[in-house]
Amino acid sequence: MAASVPGKVVYDQEGVFIHSSCGKLEDQDSLIPGTLRVVEKDMEVIVDWRPLEETLDSSNILFAAKDSSSVVQWNQSPKERNICGPEHQGSYEAEWDMVNTVSFKKRQFANGGIQSPVNIQSKWSFLFSLTDLKSIKQNKEGMGWSYLVFCLKDDVILPALHFHQGGSELLLECLEKYVVLCESEQDSRILLVDCQNRSLSQSFENLHEEPTDTLVQASTHISQTILSLHSYFQKFKRDPYTVTMDNFSKVTNFFRATDPATHQRPPQEIADFLGDAIPDLKINQQEESGFEVITRIDVGTRPEVHRRDPVSTVEWESNMDSEGRIRNVDHLKHIIFKGGLCQALRKEAWKYLLGYFSWDSTREERAQQQKRKADEYFRMKLQWKSVSEEQEKRNSRLRDYRSLIEKDVNRTDRTNKFYEGQDNPGLILLHDILMTYCMYDFDLGYVQGMSDLLSPVLYVMENEVDAFWCFVSYMDQMHQNFEEQMQGMKSQLVQLSTLLRFLDSGFCSYLESQDSGYLYFCFRWLLIRFKREFSFHDILRVWEVMWTDLPCQNFHLLICCAILESEKKKIMDGGFGFNEILKHINELSMKLDVNDVLCKAEAISLQMMKCKVLQCTL
C-alpha cells in the first residue's frame, strides 16, 4: 500500500469501495476496495482515497477534470499541481443544480488504446482539499450499502464511495469539525458544503473558555478568516444563536492584530450574505425619496433623567393588603422601572413581573398554585427521566436535545459561584429544567441560548419548580427569537433600524455607508436581551426594568439606541468600517454602565413621547 499523505490522520476507514463499470461483463460492476482517510496537513484538511493495492507515488494520483461534453474524465495531475489554490477559496456557490447521472470514460493512453481493466485499481486514486468541496450526496436509506458522492466546486463529480463496513456517518461527523453541512432545499440527500477556517472553528468552540495560544495563532490568519465569513452566514441559517454567540464572542481576537488597510471587505458582500441568511429582512441601505422627510423630523430636546434607589422590601410590603394582594400595581411597576429591586425582594417580585403570579392573587391562592405547578412540573420531568437507554437510542430528537443541553450547561456562567466547580447542584438543576422544558414545549424543544435566559432566573429563585415556571413565562416573551423562521429577530432588527433613523439619520446613514445599516452587530443584544453585554449582577437590574413593560414593550430597543448613541462619536470620528464597528461593539461586553444606559434609554423614550409624530412609533 502506498504511503499515506503526511500529516495527522483524523479519520481512517477501510472497506470503502468504488463500484466501477469496468468489469469483464458490460452489465457487471467491478468492486475496487480501498481506504479512505481524512488528514490534517499545514492548516489544510485533505480527503484521500486509495485502492488497497495502490503502490503509486503522489505523482500518479488522479484528479478530476471536465471535458467539453460535461462527462467526467480522469486525468493524471502533474506533481506541481496545487490542489487548493487561492482561486478555490472564493468560488463558493450557495446553491447548485440537482446532481445528474454521469458516466466515466475509460481513460485513453497517448497511443489511443483503452486502459486495461487489470490496471484499473491503480488509476482510481484521488484526493482533494476541503476548500475544493462543494457538496456531498448520500444514498437513500435502506438502499444497499451506504455511499457518498463528492462534488467539487468546479462541478467535477468523483466516483461514489460505498462503505461496505460502515463508517459513512463517522466521516460526516469528522468533516463537520471543519465545514458546515447544510441540507439542500431541493434534495434532502444532498449536503451543501461550506468551508471554514479551521482555527476560527476551533476558537468558536472555545466560546466559554479563556483565550489560549490557539486564539493568538488564529489571529495571524485573519485573511483566511475574512474569506470564511460566507460560511458564517450560511451556518447562520441553521442555527442563528450558535453562530452569532460563537462568532461575535471571539471575533475580537481575530481583528485585534489586524491592519484594517490590508483587509478591506468587498462592498456590499456582508449585506448580501445577511439578506440570504434572513429571508424577508429588508432594511434600506441607501436614502430613498419619500423617506427622507420623516427621518429628518425634529425630535426636540432630550430631558435629563435620574434613577432612584432599588425598591426595598418595606416599600413592597406597604403595597400589599392583609390577604397578600398587591395594591397600586401601576405605582409599584413605576418605581421598579425607575430603580429596580433589591436582591432580597427579587425572588418574590420576579414571579409577578414574569406573570407566574397574578398581581391580584392572595397568599392562599399562590400557595395552591405552587402546589399544582409542582405536581405538573415533576410529571413532565418524570417523562424524560423514565426513558431508558434503549428507548433513547431510538429517539434521536431527545438524544440531540440532551447532548446540546449538556454541552451548554457545562459552559454557562461557570465563573458565577452559583454554577462554578464540578458536580455543582446549580448545574444539575439547570440541566433538569432545560430537559423538562423540552417536554413542556415539544415543538421548540431546546435551542442554544435558552441556558443564558434560564441561568439568572434559577440564580434568583433558588428553587427548581419556581425557576421552571418563571422561565416558561420568560420564554413566552422570547419564543419567536428561537423559532426556526426567526420572525422575532427579523421584526426587531427592522424596528431598531427604523427607530435609529428617526433618532439620528446621520448616524444611520454612516452605518449604511459601511455596510452596517442592518445593525447586525446588535443581534446578540436582542437575541438574549443583553445577557452577554452586562455583568451578571447588572443584567438582573436590566431584565426587571424591562419586565415592567414601561414605558413601552419595546424598551429593549431604546436600550440598543442608548448604547449606540454613546458609541457614535468613537465610531464616526474614528472612521470605523465594518470590521472596526464589529470589533468595537464586541469589546463593549461587560464594560457598559447599567445606570447610564438605562437613564439614556428612558430619556430617549420621554423625548419621543413629546414628539407627536413618534408617539405611535414608540
Side-chain angles (χ1 to χ4, degrees):
M1 184 178 296
S4 302
V5 175
K8 177 183 177 182
V9 178
V10 295
Y11 175 89
D12 192 336
Q13 178 66 47
E14 295 184 352
V16 181
F17 287 68
I18 288 179
H19 295 193
S20 81
S21 57
C22 298
K24 294 181 179 180
L25 301 177
E26 287 295 323
D27 60 350
Q28 183 180 35
D29 280 354
S30 175
L31 302 183
I32 306 174
T35 300
L36 182 66
R37 293 187 177 90
V38 178
V39 182
E40 291 182 2
K41 179 187 178 184
D42 299 329
M43 298 300 295
E44 191 167 316
V45 182
I46 305 296
V47 178
D48 180 16
W49 184 89
R50 295 166 183 259
L52 290 180
E53 302 303 323
E54 179 65 53
T55 57
L56 302 176
D57 61 23
S58 60
S59 65
N60 292 321
I61 294 176
L62 304 181
F63 288 81
K66 194 174 183 181
D67 67 8
S68 59
S69 63
S70 297
V71 178
V72 173
Q73 182 178 4
W74 295 90
N75 296 314
Q76 284 187 336
S77 64
K79 286 184 179 180
E80 65 273 17
R81 171 163 181 170
N82 181 1
I83 66 173
C84 56
E87 68 275 10
H88 292 296
Q89 295 184 13
S91 62
Y92 174 77
E93 295 177 4
E95 288 290 344
W96 55 291
D97 294 333
M98 297 290 290
V99 177
N100 296 319
T101 303
V102 298
S103 61
F104 294 89
K105 292 182 177 179
K106 296 182 178 67
R107 188 176 183 278
Q108 295 186 355
F109 292 108
N111 60 8
I114 301 298
Q115 167 183 318
S116 168
V118 175
N119 298 322
I120 188 67
Q121 288 188 348
S122 67
K123 303 302 179 184
W124 285 99
S125 297
F126 65 80
L127 62 80
F128 60 87
S129 168
L130 283 190
T131 58
D132 294 332
L133 185 59
K134 177 180 179 180
S135 66
I136 303 173
K137 184 175 183 179
Q138 309 172 89
N139 63 306
K140 292 183 179 179
E141 293 186 9
M143 299 293 288
W145 287 302
S146 297
Y147 71 78
L148 298 176
V149 179
F150 297 107
C151 177
L152 305 185
K153 290 181 179 179
D154 54 3
D155 289 330
V156 168
I157 301 176
L158 302 180
L161 297 180
H162 297 255
F163 293 74
H164 289 203
Q165 299 177 17
S168 61
E169 293 184 358
L170 291 177
L171 173 62
L172 295 178
E173 291 178 5
C174 175
L175 296 182
E176 283 187 316
K177 297 177 182 178
Y178 310 97
V179 298
V180 177
L181 299 180
C182 307
E183 187 174 287
S184 171
E185 296 179 359
Q186 287 80 13
D187 189 343
S188 60
R189 295 181 298 163
I190 296 174
L191 301 175
L192 304 179
V193 180
D194 204 357
C195 282
Q196 299 186 85
N197 174 275
R198 179 170 173 266
S199 299
L200 181 64
S201 299
Q202 290 180 340
S203 299
F204 292 165
E205 280 298 314
N206 296 326
L207 169 67
H208 296 265
E209 299 176 4
E210 293 298 320
T212 62
D213 291 339
T214 303
L215 292 175
V216 176
Q217 295 171 5
S219 66
T220 65
H221 299 281
I222 182 62
S223 60
Q224 296 181 31
T225 301
I226 294 175
L227 288 172
S228 298
L229 279 174
H230 64 273
S231 69
Y232 163 81
F233 287 102
Q234 283 296 318
K235 188 177 178 182
F236 174 81
K237 289 182 178 180
R238 300 173 58 201
D239 193 341
Y241 174 80
T242 304
V243 179
T244 303
M245 297 299 294
D246 288 0
N247 292 26
F248 283 104
S249 291
K250 291 300 180 184
V251 71
T252 303
N253 295 284
F254 296 99
F255 287 117
R256 180 172 287 122
T258 304
D259 179 6
T262 63
H263 298 294
Q264 295 296 324
R265 294 169 52 262
Q268 295 295 319
E269 176 183 310
I270 302 302
D272 292 340
F273 286 139
L274 182 66
D276 292 337
I278 309 182
D280 303 323
L281 178 59
K282 300 184 184 301
I283 299 178
N284 292 321
Q285 290 292 318
Q286 298 177 348
E287 293 284 351
E288 298 179 8
S289 58
F291 194 59
E292 295 182 0
V293 176
I294 192 169
T295 58
R296 294 177 181 174
I297 61 175
D298 182 8
V299 294
T301 58
R302 184 170 301 173
E304 186 175 353
V305 170
H306 299 283
R307 293 188 61 76
R308 54 155 284 165
D309 292 333
V311 178
S312 65
T313 54
V314 174
E315 287 180 290
W316 177 268
E317 292 172 356
S318 67
N319 285 276
M320 185 177 293
D321 66 19
S322 59
E323 293 184 339
R325 296 184 183 89
I326 301 297
R327 302 174 301 183
N328 303 319
V329 175
D330 291 341
H331 170 72
L332 201 54
K333 285 185 177 181
H334 175 73
I335 59 177
I336 293 174
F337 171 76
K338 293 292 292 183
L341 297 159
C342 67
Q343 179 61 28
L345 189 54
R346 286 187 170 123
K347 185 181 296 187
E348 181 176 1
W350 277 25
K351 298 184 180 78
Y352 292 91
L353 291 171
L354 285 167
Y356 177 37
F357 284 169
S358 172
W359 292 95
D360 60 357
S361 62
T362 65
R363 292 189 188 90
E364 183 179 352
E365 289 171 341
R366 293 193 293 271
Q368 292 175 353
Q369 177 186 351
Q370 285 181 296
K371 185 178 184 303
R372 292 194 306 271
K373 290 296 187 180
D375 292 341
E376 186 177 353
Y377 171 78
F378 286 112
R379 280 198 301 271
M380 290 187 290
K381 183 175 181 178
L382 185 61
Q383 290 174 0
W384 65 267
K385 278 282 192 180
S386 60
V387 174
S388 66
E389 292 184 6
E390 288 298 318
Q391 286 178 299
E392 191 164 320
K393 290 178 181 179
R394 297 185 293 273
N395 191 332
S396 60
R397 194 172 185 182
L398 183 61
R399 288 199 312 271
D400 291 344
Y401 287 153
R402 186 191 295 274
S403 175
L404 196 56
I405 289 171
E406 289 176 351
K407 180 180 179 180
D408 283 0
V409 164
N410 286 327
R411 58 185 190 179
T412 298
D413 292 324
R414 296 306 302 275
T415 58
N416 187 299
K417 290 185 178 180
F418 192 80
Y419 297 109
E420 69 180 2
Q422 298 297 320
D423 300 322
N424 188 302
L427 295 179
I428 297 173
L429 291 179
L430 201 64
H431 170 274
D432 288 0
I433 292 172
L434 292 171
M435 285 295 297
T436 305
Y437 186 82
C438 294
M439 301 294 104
Y440 173 83
D441 190 337
F442 285 101
D443 291 335
L444 184 62
Y446 177 77
V447 181
Q448 286 188 306
M450 291 183 183
S451 61
D452 275 289
L453 298 184
L454 172 59
S455 172
V457 175
L458 178 59
Y459 168 82
V460 168
M461 293 298 143
E462 299 180 304
N463 176 280
E464 182 177 7
V465 175
D466 290 342
F468 173 81
W469 290 111
C470 286
F471 175 65
V472 166
S473 296
Y474 198 11
M475 280 303 302
D476 288 343
Q477 301 176 25
M478 305 291 291
H479 201 280
Q480 283 193 323
N481 282 15
F482 296 94
E483 292 172 358
E484 185 177 358
Q485 299 302 317
M486 297 180 296
Q487 189 57 52
M489 295 305 303
K490 296 175 190 176
S491 300
Q492 290 173 87
L493 285 171
V494 171
Q495 291 168 354
L496 180 57
S497 178
T498 303
L499 183 59
L500 186 63
R501 183 175 290 278
F502 281 146
L503 295 172
D504 196 333
S505 61
F507 185 37
C508 193
S509 296
Y510 176 83
L511 293 175
E512 289 171 353
S513 71
Q514 304 302 322
D515 292 337
S516 299
Y518 43 77
L519 306 179
Y520 189 66
F521 46 81
C522 299
F523 188 96
R524 185 175 71 184
W525 300 357
L526 300 173
L527 185 70
I528 52 173
R529 290 296 191 269
F530 311 101
K531 171 62 164 54
R532 298 292 180 86
E533 317 315 316
F534 294 93
S535 68
F536 192 89
H537 177 75
D538 286 346
I539 199 60
L540 306 182
R541 176 68 42 80
V542 173
W543 282 4
E544 62 201 15
V545 166
M546 292 192 298
W547 291 338
T548 64
D549 287 337
L550 295 175
C552 60
Q553 291 184 340
N554 288 327
F555 188 66
H556 62 287
L557 299 182
L558 300 182
I559 292 178
C560 292
C561 291
I563 298 173
L564 291 175
E565 182 185 90
S566 298
E567 304 306 316
K568 169 188 171 181
K569 182 174 175 60
K570 292 180 182 177
I571 292 173
M572 295 186 69
D573 289 354
F576 288 179
F578 176 89
N579 295 339
E580 293 80 16
I581 294 172
L582 188 63
K583 171 180 176 291
H584 181 72
I585 295 298
N586 187 65
E587 290 183 334
L588 295 177
S589 178
M590 303 301 160
K591 298 178 182 178
L592 298 172
D593 185 304
V594 64
N595 286 323
D596 180 62
V597 170
L598 290 177
C599 281
K600 285 185 178 179
E602 182 183 356
I604 292 173
S605 71
L606 295 174
Q607 183 182 21
M608 293 180 67
M609 283 295 186
K610 292 181 180 180
C611 180
K612 294 181 179 180
V613 177
L614 296 182
Q615 287 179 5
C616 59
T617 302
L618 182 62

